[in-house]
Amino acid sequence: LISNHNSVERWHYLELNWSKYLSNVDAVLVKDGIEDDEVIKLKTVAVQSWLYGFEFINTISIITPKTIIFFGNKEKNKLLERFRSEAIKVSKEVVLITKTDKLENKEYDDMFKALAKLGVKTFGIFGNEKQKGRIIELFEERATKAGHVELDVSASVQEMLSVKDAVAI
């Protein structure tokens, strides 16, 4: 992982530039499914690398200006504990929801309760990156039932990430 301080700085940059690049969505949805040669993950990996310094396979990140909901197994969530601690210092929240191998309804209930609390209705997605895996299928079923809307933000995110920050230099 990149330093947790740098991750928080980048998240702050995202917040400051949200209205410029992402004003039409409530959250950026980063779905990273199972490894598959047919799956394109260019923006998925780019966003995770930019923010976390690492690709988290078989996870879901829901990024808003002030809150990140991260859905991953216990080991992956443990890697983000220090990031969560750093985020709290600047009035940001990282919600870590632990998924089990069984992918139980309660896990998804917790995620969608957190989304409802934030008022998230519209997700920014990477339209050409159709992820695979049970974690993704269950999430998409629930999101559809909950009436969430998805808009492609690929070009906006690419443009935003192309701006070099002090961390990248």
Side-chain angles (χ1 to χ4, degrees):
L1 266 67
I2 61 174
S3 98
N4 293 298
H5 179 72
N6 290 343
S7 292
V8 171
E9 282 183 9
R10 287 183 172 179
W11 187 7
H12 183 66
Y13 169 81
L14 178 69
E15 177 185 8
L16 292 175
N17 289 282
W18 196 275
S19 62
K20 180 178 179 182
Y21 295 105
L22 300 165
S23 62
N24 58 340
V25 297
D26 300 319
V28 174
L29 174 61
V30 182
K31 301 178 284 190
D32 194 337
I34 59 173
E35 286 296 298
D36 186 306
D37 291 339
E38 296 174 12
V39 175
I40 298 169
K41 291 187 176 188
L42 298 176
K43 300 236 178 0
T44 298
V45 172
V47 168
Q48 289 185 80
S49 296
W50 180 78
L51 185 58
Y52 307 125
F54 191 80
E55 179 189 6
F56 288 103
I57 297 166
N58 212 22
T59 63
I60 295 172
S61 294
I62 301 164
I63 305 164
T64 75
K66 294 276 190 195
T67 304
I68 292 176
I69 300 169
F70 185 84
F71 187 58
N73 66 23
K74 189 178 357 176
E75 294 78 22
K76 291 171 183 160
N77 285 358
K78 188 172 175 79
L79 291 172
L80 292 176
E81 280 293 341
R82 286 189 47 228
F83 175 47
R84 177 160 77 173
S85 298
E86 288 293 317
I88 290 169
K89 294 177 187 176
V90 294
S91 301
K92 292 187 183 299
E93 181 182 24
V94 177
V95 178
L96 299 174
I97 299 173
T98 303
K99 75 175 185 74
T100 62
D101 291 339
K102 296 177 186 173
L103 291 173
E104 298 172 8
N105 278 330
K106 182 187 179 325
E107 299 163 17
Y108 286 89
D109 290 345
D110 291 346
M111 188 175 3
F112 280 87
K113 282 179 190 165
L115 285 170
K117 181 180 166 189
L118 295 174
V120 171
K121 292 285 183 205
T122 306
F123 292 122
I125 60 158
F126 310 128
N128 290 335
E129 299 188 13
K130 306 291 184 217
Q131 301 295 320
K132 292 182 179 182
R134 189 78 180 126
I135 184 177
I136 305 301
E137 292 165 11
L138 292 172
F139 179 85
E140 289 175 348
E141 285 172 18
R142 293 288 289 265
T144 300
K145 284 181 188 170
H148 290 279
V149 175
E150 295 182 347
L151 298 174
D152 191 350
V153 294
S154 299
S156 299
V157 168
Q158 182 173 333
E159 184 179 341
M160 185 180 63
L161 295 184
S162 70
V163 176
K164 295 296 180 200
D165 59 14
V167 176
I169 296 172

